[in-house]
Amino acid sequence: MLTYIARRLVTAVLILLGASFVVYQLTALSGDPLHDLRASNAPNKDQLIQQRIDLLNLDVPAPVRYFQWLGGAVRCVIPTQCDLGYAINGQPVTEALGRAMGMTILLVSAAAVLAIVIGVALGIVTALRQYSTLDYGVTFMAFLFFSLPVFWVAVLLKEFAAIGFNNFLRDPHIPLQTILLIGLVSAVVWFVCAAGTLPRRFGAAAIGFVLAAAVMWVLSATGWFATPGLGLAVIALTGTAIAFGTTLLAAGLRNRRALYAALASAGAGVVLYFPIQPLLAQATGLMIFLLAVATVLAGLAAGYLMGGYDRRQNMSAAAITAFLTGGLILLDRYMQAWPAYMDNSRINGRPIATIGSQTPNLRGDFWIHGLDTFTHLLLPTIALLLISLASYSRYARSSMLEIMNMDYIRTARAKGLSERTVVMRHAFRNALIPIATIVAFDIGGLIGGAVITENVFAFAGMGQLFIKSLERVDPNPVMGVFLVTGIVALVFNLIADLVYSALDPRVRVKA
Amino acid sequence: MRFGRTSKAIGVAAAAVLALSACATAGGGSEETGTAGGSQAGGSISVAETNAFSSFNSESAQGNVDINGKIAYMTRGGFYHIDNELNVVRNEEFGTYEKVSDDPLVVKYTVNEGVTWSDGTPVDAGDLLLTWLIESGYANDAKTNEDGKVTSGTSYFDYAGDTSGLALTDQPEVGDDGRSITLTYSKPYADWEIAFGGLSDGGIGAPAHVVAEKAGLADEQALVDLIQGLKRGDPDSPAEANDQLQKVADFWNTGFDTKSLPSDTSLYLSSGPFVVDSITPDQSITLVRNDSYTWGPDPKVDEITVRFIGAAPDQVQALKNGEVDIIAPQPSADTVELLQAIDGVNVDVDDQLAYDHIDLNYSGVFADPDVRQAFMKVVPRQAIVDRIVKPLKDDAAPLNSQFFVPAQDAYAESAENNGSSAYDKVDIDGARQLLDGREPEVRIMYNKDNPNRADAYALIQESAEKAGFKIVDGGLGASDWSAALGDGTYDATIFGWTNPGVGVSGVPQIFKTGAGSNFNGFSNKKADELMDELIVTTDKAKQDEIIMQIDKIVWDSYYGLPLFQSVGLDAYNSNRIEGVKYQPNQTGVFWNFWEWGVKE
């Protein structure tokens, strides 16, 4: 395995070298980096030109200049020694790149994770119920979103999800017809999702209608949108549901030990809800991270202590439940900070933002800043999500369909395995293998490619840096962006291959 | 083994729990949640701007971007500002200036006692001297050839403005109190009242003590001594380059350029009502009240945040969503319509001093006057006005002078005599005759992110191609087109000029041979002579007469065409703020920022 990784790394470095040479030449030769000075009428024009030539080593031919650049770039192995040269305006590329990279990662990471999780889940579910109304519905929506231009989605989102929703928040009261409309939409969704006979599906639709309308009515009547929160009751209910859900998927409800472990994790979360509040009031990012680690460890411990013949099942069910319940408590804490955030004079009761990544000069604690990031990232994340969701769900669906028709699935069924075991153990894992490659490609692409979204939402990220530098014939920032996207793409390809061997023993044997 | 794993897990968990106590925020948290950010007595106002802040020096060639000038306007003291009726309003609390004598013209500038930079250092004669040196080009002795290449001598400060006014002054005399300088002009100078220290030109922009220190001089006095020891630069007998002065100039030229807030606070000292508090690169810049400031109008708000949003629709949505309170996007019918549909937003649509124009290079494909004339014949000016300005302003008509706007008395006469009537209508046949079968390829550069320019380009392209021109789209993005001006990569360019509205020294800045903003290479001996005469003429009627002559020369040499007078637009959230007034010149809505207030 080690030789395999080493071999892959060497190949990756060679690919990076070749590609960076080509990109450098293409950028350097695409125009004249002195063009803005050449015909300038400034009396000290020659001096300015000389300054820029010195700054960017323009007196050296581009192929040689590449190696000068490479000399600096190679030293990036030691982070403090990094030298990626200067942009045309004299700014060090490492500085510009660091800033842009932070912005882009901020922008795309949530969208990427959500798109993968939701997309794959949708794909699997639609594959399991091929040619059902649900399948057709999801397929229709997937293609609809896939074909929407992102800038248009962005403008619509700004108009309705930001401006419209903020207007609504001034008086968070939902009128009756809107409640009914939401109920109807919910009814349609339930109808589509439900399986079985027509009367049963209409029954589901009725439940969906009543449920959604009731929830909306309660939320509206209690002014929930102004002072949101989950409360202990909702956390306890949802936690129990999560415990049952994860056990169902990870171990099957017949595995009582797993179910008890999961329920114990959820219960621990509920018990700890009040004691943890004073600690959360002083939260920092590091603390939340450590708490998350502790939560997962506690879940694992709970599963382990429950014993039984297959502890791994207990542990994963309990750990996932613990993590999600912890997430609920976190969400609840963010909601507690919401009224303070809304009242902040810089927010002025209009939380959902249309531009930028933060409210300038917002002062507040960890939770206020967390909410601020959330309100700024919400719209661009939705815009990116809608578009990448489609491809994931399609890939996952076709991959799952292919697996479900395999001989070994029939064998598994024939030997009497439960449908859960067949789907989760035998089909799902194998269906993930091709998706791993696509995910790897997409993450590389996402980091370099959110150009339009960055533009519409006034995010100064990698895409903007790349485009603007390219327009100025400024190779150094372009190379910086290329280096980052190139490395990310290669690393994720490597990860994909490693995940391959983890998921598919046949690959391991070959390597 | 099992026991080992369990104890390990417990151990890690215990360590993690212990670590949590270490990484909690200092002090209690929940009370802080309730407090609103910052001192909010006067409230804060957020303004959207198109360009991103890039330098604390708005007067250098690199830093000369509108937003940098606006930040300087709010963070600098100055002797006067221009109000929205284009009057010169002096700020006697900052300092005074008076004409001591008419012949020779002598003007004395005095900074009041107690006026300081935000680090406590007084604003004094050293600062005035340095600003004078930069804006007068006194020490420069560079000689340039026709291409603008320096052939001999040195040009020190890379000043973006026109030096021709203050170049008439001799080495200033520093007053005994060390707070005044006296400028003596060698000739009468038309614009003496707005020649020096105005807020819209960056005020007294360079803190001499900082520049001295950064340039490696001992202290401000050393810089003063250096300046006072300088001889007027003579391009015909250039002196040896002055190393010390070169260092001072090098620092001034680039030392204040930054996209983020420098850790060295001396780089952004303020002598005005506000001081820069924080910058998020390419996103926003926040100014807060300068506590020591007492010399001038007292701003009502405590904080002004400028956010950088490129596209007009995005600005409108940000205003609608309350993220910004004031926007002043490039007006278009769509934008005005969008804005007028928003409740609680006050929209001002009015004339500007700026005008859009298409300039033809006196080189390349347009070196031939016939080609220039042919091109001018095919520019559909009426159609452009109908498309761009009419939807905003019913009585709009093409602008027929390169120098006057209809609001000025001299416009009608100048427009009648300068030959502009030949280009009232598109004349495809006339253009074809002039081209005589040639099919010149014309690359037109414009700001493609500006919908008005893109519209104008499209109309011109359509019309010009009928006459046989091959039009190449050379449009550049918002951040790049201005850098491309005058760089020879295009043959014609569509852009806008913004005149200061007062004074006549803007004329040579654009039309004089080799001047800083003469991007198309216009050069006419007679016009140069007239402009030399213009800047020493103090009589208004005589000034107009001279400009009319220049106007005719410019039209006769097929310079290009003025298209239309721009319509200005600003909009603000009138539910929340008040005191915002439309201003036709380049300072825009910022001109009376001290009157902006947040409603209760």
Side-chain angles (χ1 to χ4, degrees):
Chain A
M1 181 51 94
L2 275 178
T3 46
Y4 173 71
I5 295 177
R7 213 167 60 215
R8 285 297 308 259
L9 281 177
V10 171
T11 332
V13 168
L14 288 179
I15 291 174
L16 213 52
L17 279 178
S20 64
F21 182 79
V22 173
V23 172
Y24 194 96
Q25 301 312 316
L26 287 177
T27 315
L29 302 176
S30 69
D32 176 13
L34 291 172
H35 69 128
D36 58 321
L37 291 180
R38 249 187 235 291
S40 130
N41 285 306
N44 56 347
K45 181 180 123 185
D46 276 1
Q47 188 193 339
L48 292 176
I49 289 182
Q50 196 54 45
Q51 273 175 3
R52 186 174 292 173
I53 289 177
D54 293 345
L55 183 74
L56 303 177
N57 293 326
L58 294 177
D59 45 350
V60 179
V64 183
R65 194 145 33 99
Y66 166 76
F67 288 100
Q68 290 181 342
W69 172 83
L70 190 64
V74 161
R75 283 188 295 170
C76 287
V77 178
I78 313 158
T80 51
Q81 290 278 309
C82 203
D83 175 19
L84 291 175
Y86 292 88
I88 224 161
N89 61 8
Q91 193 186 24
V93 170
T94 42
E95 190 189 307
L97 198 61
R99 208 147 56 208
M101 199 153 52
M103 297 297 286
T104 293
I105 288 173
L106 189 69
L107 181 69
V108 301
S109 48
V113 171
L114 285 175
I116 292 166
V117 171
I118 301 176
V120 170
L122 274 180
I124 302 289
V125 171
T126 49
L128 292 176
R129 293 180 49 196
Q130 197 186 7
Y131 304 138
S132 65
T133 332
L134 176 68
D135 188 22
Y136 287 127
V138 170
T139 306
F140 171 72
M141 295 306 270
F143 280 113
L144 180 70
F145 292 142
F146 191 64
S147 36
L148 289 181
V150 66
F151 60 88
W152 185 71
V153 174
V155 170
L156 288 189
L157 278 174
K158 282 183 178 188
E159 190 63 36
F160 296 108
I163 298 168
F165 185 70
N166 286 338
N167 287 343
F168 160 73
L169 282 182
R170 273 194 304 227
D171 174 26
H173 175 78
I174 311 175
L176 186 64
Q177 59 263 44
T178 315
I179 292 185
L180 293 180
L181 194 71
I182 293 171
L184 271 180
V185 172
S186 158
V188 170
V189 172
W190 278 66
F191 182 83
V192 167
C193 292
T197 59
L198 211 56
R200 210 185 132 180
R201 297 177 71 189
F202 274 115
I207 295 174
F209 179 84
V210 172
L211 213 61
V215 167
M216 282 299 138
W217 182 78
V218 169
L219 293 185
S220 167
T222 56
W224 188 84
F225 289 101
T227 52
L230 295 178
L232 198 57
V234 175
I235 292 180
L237 264 175
T238 322
T240 315
I242 288 172
F244 275 94
T246 46
T247 314
L248 181 70
L249 289 178
L253 283 179
R254 265 188 297 177
N255 187 342
R256 288 288 147 177
R257 286 176 191 276
L259 180 63
Y260 295 149
L263 281 173
S265 305
V270 173
V271 171
L272 283 175
Y273 175 75
F274 283 114
I276 199 101
Q277 294 297 329
L279 186 64
L280 288 183
Q282 303 170 41
T284 59
L286 181 64
M287 181 204 273
I288 298 299
F289 174 75
L290 291 177
L291 276 176
V293 173
T295 311
V296 171
L297 288 175
L300 290 176
Y304 184 83
L305 293 174
M306 201 52 79
Y309 73 95
D310 190 353
R311 280 178 166 161
R312 266 189 60 186
Q313 286 192 345
N314 306 350
M315 285 164 74
S316 55
I320 295 171
T321 309
F323 184 76
L324 291 179
T325 313
L328 282 177
I329 296 175
L330 201 66
L331 183 65
D332 179 73
R333 184 59 186 80
Y334 272 118
M335 286 177 169
Q336 288 176 32
W338 183 259
Y341 178 71
M342 286 277 284
D343 284 345
N344 192 303
S345 65
R346 284 173 214 281
I347 305 301
N348 242 319
R350 299 189 68 84
I352 310 295
T354 63
I355 46 157
S357 63
Q358 64 187 71
T359 306
N361 277 24
L362 182 77
R363 292 186 184 97
D365 58 11
F366 174 80
W367 305 102
I368 297 283
H369 281 288
L371 282 175
D372 192 51
T373 309
F374 168 76
T375 54
H376 280 81
L377 286 180
L378 183 66
L379 299 192
T381 301
I382 294 177
L384 285 173
L385 180 67
L386 286 182
I387 279 131
S388 43
L389 195 63
S391 57
Y392 285 126
S393 71
R394 300 313 292 162
Y395 281 123
R397 179 177 178 273
S398 65
S399 158
M400 189 70 176
L401 280 177
E402 190 188 329
I403 300 292
M404 289 303 278
N405 291 324
M406 288 285 181
D407 286 345
Y408 61 81
I409 297 292
R410 198 176 320 127
T411 312
R413 286 201 174 118
K415 70 184 180 190
L417 292 180
S418 68
E419 187 64 15
R420 185 199 72 79
T421 319
V422 172
V423 172
M424 291 303 292
R425 283 274 173 90
H426 295 251
F428 177 62
R429 286 185 174 197
N430 290 309
L432 282 183
I433 296 172
I435 296 171
T437 328
I438 293 154
V439 168
F441 275 127
D442 266 23
I443 287 179
L446 263 180
I447 288 193
V451 179
I452 295 169
T453 318
E454 279 176 15
N455 223 359
V456 181
F457 290 102
F459 255 73
M462 303 274 279
Q464 282 214 24
L465 182 67
F466 180 78
I467 288 291
K468 283 188 176 160
S469 309
L470 203 58
E471 281 173 356
R472 290 198 200 100
V473 196
D474 190 1
N476 286 341
V478 171
M479 292 310 292
V481 174
F482 168 79
L483 209 59
V484 172
T485 39
I487 289 176
V488 168
L490 288 169
V491 164
F492 273 88
N493 268 304
L494 180 63
I495 291 177
D497 285 349
L498 297 180
V499 171
Y500 250 77
S501 61
L503 294 175
D504 187 349
R506 288 169 299 180
V507 177
R508 227 177 308 169
V509 174
K510 273 184 219 157
Chain B
M1 184 63 194
R2 277 186 182 177
F3 180 74
R5 269 167 64 183
T6 314
S7 58
K8 257 186 231 167
I10 292 171
V12 171
V17 170
L18 273 176
L20 288 177
S21 57
C23 61
T25 47
S30 55
E31 310 89 75
E32 272 180 320
T33 316
T35 57
S39 57
Q40 291 298 312
S44 67
I45 281 181
S46 177
V47 193
E49 274 290 319
T50 306
N51 294 320
F53 176 81
S54 62
S55 176
F56 288 107
N57 183 357
S58 62
E59 293 177 87
S60 67
Q62 288 263 20
N64 185 22
V65 181
D66 59 349
I67 176 63
N68 297 343
K70 287 166 183 173
I71 298 300
Y73 188 83
M74 293 187 278
T75 57
R76 297 277 186 263
F79 288 102
Y80 65 92
H81 73 268
I82 310 289
D83 72 6
N84 60 339
E85 282 158 355
L86 304 173
N87 300 313
V88 175
V89 182
R90 298 189 185 193
N91 178 6
E92 309 251 302
E93 289 173 75
F94 172 82
T96 52
Y97 64 111
E98 54 189 334
K99 187 156 70 172
V100 178
S101 82
D102 267 318
D103 194 19
L105 180 61
V106 177
V107 188
K108 182 178 181 188
Y109 293 84
T110 312
V111 181
N112 290 347
E113 203 152 4
V115 175
T116 61
W117 295 100
S118 48
D119 64 352
T121 314
V123 177
D124 58 15
D127 300 307
L128 300 184
L129 262 184
L130 179 60
T131 305
W132 166 82
L133 178 68
I134 292 162
E135 297 183 1
S136 64
Y138 183 76
N140 294 350
D141 52 12
K143 212 172 190 179
T144 52
N145 63 12
E146 276 176 7
D147 303 334
K149 279 202 171 199
V150 178
T151 50
S152 66
T154 320
S155 170
Y156 294 97
F157 294 96
D158 195 3
Y159 176 57
D162 178 44
T163 54
S164 60
L166 286 177
L168 299 174
T169 60
D170 213 345
Q171 180 71 255
E173 214 175 285
V174 174
D176 300 335
D177 46 11
R179 285 184 288 107
S180 77
I181 63 169
T182 305
L183 301 179
T184 308
Y185 290 83
S186 58
K187 285 188 266 184
Y189 175 57
D191 293 342
W192 69 269
E193 202 182 354
I194 51 163
F196 182 72
L199 270 185
S200 31
D201 303 317
I204 302 303
H209 64 288
V210 174
V211 174
E213 187 206 324
K214 300 288 176 189
L217 296 173
D219 56 7
E220 184 175 340
Q221 192 54 47
L223 178 62
V224 171
D225 293 343
L226 172 68
I227 295 174
Q228 287 186 324
L230 292 172
K231 293 257 158 36
R232 180 184 291 279
D234 181 3
D236 290 327
S237 58
E240 189 111 325
N242 183 330
D243 285 342
Q244 272 186 323
L245 185 62
Q246 188 65 60
K247 275 185 196 149
V248 172
D250 284 348
F251 176 74
W252 184 85
N253 289 341
T254 58
F256 292 102
D257 293 355
T258 177
K259 288 214 142 196
S260 53
L261 195 69
S263 52
D264 181 355
T265 54
S266 69
L267 292 177
Y268 57 96
L269 291 182
S270 164
S271 59
F274 283 96
V275 61
V276 177
D277 179 58
S278 65
I279 300 178
T280 312
D282 292 325
Q283 286 199 33
S284 67
I285 179 167
T286 303
L287 312 177
V288 295
R289 202 182 272 278
N290 176 6
D291 290 330
S292 58
Y293 170 85
T294 54
W295 44 91
D298 191 29
K300 288 185 185 165
V301 292
D302 291 321
E303 187 186 272
I304 292 175
T305 300
V306 181
R307 303 188 70 167
F308 315 132
I309 310 171
D314 296 340
Q315 288 195 3
V316 173
Q317 285 192 312
L319 176 73
K320 198 173 173 185
N321 197 28
E323 283 164 275
V324 294
D325 302 306
I326 304 171
I327 63 171
Q330 188 85 16
S332 73
D334 295 345
T335 309
V336 172
E337 201 178 313
L338 277 175
L339 282 169
Q340 278 165 346
I342 308 174
D343 265 351
V345 165
N346 188 345
V347 187
D348 297 319
V349 182
D350 213 330
D351 271 345
Q352 267 191 327
L353 292 172
Y355 60 96
D356 271 26
H357 51 98
I358 179 160
D359 292 353
L360 313 179
N361 283 356
Y362 285 80
S363 54
V365 63
F366 281 133
D368 179 353
D370 281 350
V371 182
R372 291 202 301 274
Q373 194 189 357
F375 194 83
M376 282 165 70
K377 280 184 184 297
V378 299
V379 174
R381 300 201 301 154
Q382 189 61 47
I384 293 172
V385 169
D386 289 349
R387 169 85 69 91
I388 297 171
V389 200
K390 274 274 168 70
L392 298 166
K393 206 165 162 281
D394 291 337
D395 55 348
L399 187 63
N400 285 326
S401 163
Q402 295 274 13
F403 298 87
F404 299 105
V405 289
Q408 289 166 309
D409 297 335
Y411 173 79
E413 196 185 336
S414 192
E416 200 171 309
N417 299 329
N418 62 12
S420 60
S421 53
Y423 309 101
D424 280 349
K425 291 202 179 71
V426 176
D427 180 6
I428 303 284
D429 293 334
R432 272 188 191 285
Q433 276 172 14
L434 282 164
L435 286 179
D436 196 19
R438 285 175 291 178
E439 293 195 337
E441 188 181 283
V442 177
R443 189 180 178 85
I444 303 182
M445 196 277 285
Y446 61 97
N447 176 2
K448 66 180 175 190
D449 291 339
N450 177 334
N452 287 355
R453 310 261 157 83
D455 277 355
Y457 167 78
L459 288 166
I460 291 171
Q461 182 200 26
E462 191 190 339
S463 171
E465 281 179 347
K466 282 185 202 152
F469 284 101
K470 286 203 184 95
I471 306 294
V472 180
D473 185 347
L476 293 175
S479 57
D480 298 296
W481 70 272
S482 61
L485 281 175
D487 71 354
T489 55
Y490 58 84
D491 305 301
T493 174
I494 308 168
F495 68 110
W497 280 129
T498 311
N499 282 330
V502 274
V504 296
S505 56
V507 173
Q509 204 167 325
I510 298 172
F511 293 95
K512 209 169 163 183
T513 304
S517 299
N518 183 347
F519 294 119
N520 65 345
F522 171 73
S523 175
N524 183 295
K525 215 164 182 193
K526 184 83 203 312
D528 283 352
E529 279 164 18
L530 284 168
M531 280 182 266
D532 287 340
E533 192 187 335
L534 177 68
I535 61 165
V536 296
T537 306
T538 44
D539 179 49
K540 180 83 177 85
K542 187 89 173 63
Q543 285 179 355
D544 286 350
E545 194 183 302
I546 296 171
I547 297 178
M548 275 187 238
Q549 292 181 44
I550 304 173
D551 200 8
K552 175 123 181 68
I553 293 173
V554 168
W555 281 85
D556 286 349
S557 75
Y558 314 119
Y559 180 93
L561 288 165
L563 298 173
F564 55 85
Q565 196 182 359
S566 295
V567 175
L569 168 67
D570 68 45
Y572 62 94
N573 183 346
S574 54
N575 282 342
R576 196 175 106 77
I577 62 166
E578 58 195 352
V580 180
K581 286 194 189 124
Y582 179 80
Q583 152 85 312
N585 78 9
Q586 60 198 355
T587 314
V589 285
F590 286 94
W591 78 273
N592 69 337
F593 65 92
W594 52 83
E595 287 175 12
W596 296 352
V598 178
K599 285 183 184 172
E600 285 308 312

